[in-house]
Amino acid sequence: ELKVEQNPLFLSMQEGKNYTIYCNYSTTSDRLYWYRQDPGKSLESLFVLLSNGAVKQEGRLMASLDTKARLSTLHITAAVHDLSATYFCAVVTGKLIFGQGTTLQVKP
Amino acid sequence: DAGVIQSPRHEVTEMGQEVTLRCKPISGHDYLFWYRQTMMRGLELLIYFNNNVPIDDSGMPEDRFSAKMPNASFSTLKIQPSEPRDSAVYFCASSGANTIYFGEGSWLTVV
């Protein structure tokens, strides 16, 4: 059974700092997604990573995928308060399975 | 495109009542997913369809839950009878190529 694990599950950081969220998964997959969810809202697609070594960047967020290590990272550069949200990774093996989510709190 | 459309957005119902949640996927998408989200269990995949055919319903918690997709533009998730532990947000998502989009969710409270 596919397992997707994120860490940390909660992250409190100061504005301007950098940090990385990790997503490990247990079986081979050809696609990995990152989503953002604000409280009381739906899930917003951030990145789709399709191949080993894929790297995508949008603003202060950069995602990468290492299929051999079964690991994806979401790197936050110079965090700002607007990035406060819960971030999910999700892996496709036929079905789309989500990690537990990482709640990010950026403090001024 | 209007995106994935779910209804109702909010529902409060009494225990034992039947609840029907509806989803209209994005036109042209061939996969449809139903998820349930709670604080305790996170995002759980309940069932997914490919070209209107149920592929995996192993996440459906028990026989009280059923889902149908009679055509490419409509799906329902039904709970009968409902129980307080079914209170959650239910998301529908549809997928085409490499994109997966979520609806706004149906917030269900069973009292």
Side-chain angles (χ1 to χ4, degrees), chain B residues 2-93:
Chain B
V4 178
I5 299 173
Q6 291 188 244
S7 64
R9 292 293 313 279
H10 298 272
E11 179 149 349
V12 179
T13 191
E14 292 185 346
M15 182 173 64
Q17 297 297 306
E18 178 179 290
V19 173
T20 299
L21 308 178
R22 299 172 178 80
C23 176
K24 177 179 169 54
I26 293 172
S27 178
H29 281 191
D30 53 0
Y31 281 87
L32 184 139
F33 305 86
W34 282 101
Y35 286 88
R36 177 172 67 176
Q37 186 177 36
T38 60
M39 288 293 293
M40 291 297 294
R41 301 176 69 90
L43 274 158
E44 300 174 278
L45 176 64
L46 301 178
I47 185 171
Y48 77 99
F49 297 83
N50 179 220
N51 292 321
N52 314 337
V53 177
I55 303 301
D56 187 335
D57 66 354
S58 60
M60 297 286 263
E62 47 198 273
D63 292 344
R64 297 185 298 107
F65 286 70
S66 63
K68 295 181 179 179
M69 192 166 185
N71 57 62
S73 59
F74 184 66
S75 178
T76 59
L77 178 67
K78 190 172 292 188
I79 309 172
Q80 167 63 24
S82 58
E83 297 182 2
R85 59 190 167 128
D86 301 330
S87 298
V89 184
Y90 292 82
F91 287 106
C92 175

Side-chain angles (χ1 to χ4, degrees), chain A residues 36-50:
Chain A
R36 169 181 171 145
Q37 187 179 37
D38 292 296
K41 301 293 186 182
S42 184
L43 286 89
E44 173 191 355
S45 179
L46 295 174
F47 301 109
V48 181
L49 302 170
L50 300 176

Side-chain angles (χ1 to χ4, degrees), chain A residues 22-94:
Chain A
Y22 297 88
C23 174
N24 290 273
Y25 54 99
S26 60
T27 63
T28 302
S29 171
D30 58 0
R31 273 179 289 162
L32 188 141
Y33 296 81
W34 283 96
Y35 286 88
R36 169 181 171 145
Q37 187 179 37
D38 292 296
K41 301 293 186 182
S42 184
L43 286 89
E44 173 191 355
S45 179
L46 295 174
F47 301 109
V48 181
L49 302 170
L50 300 176
S51 61
N52 188 42
V55 177
K56 290 198 173 178
Q57 182 163 7
E58 180 74 33
R60 300 174 188 274
L61 300 178
M62 183 174 71
S64 65
L65 178 62
D66 181 343
T67 57
K68 294 179 181 177
R70 296 177 185 166
L71 171 69
S72 180
T73 60
L74 181 66
H75 186 73
I76 302 151
T77 302
V80 293
H81 179 70
D82 285 352
L83 289 179
S84 297
T86 299
Y87 294 86
F88 292 91
C89 64
V91 176
V92 174
T93 54

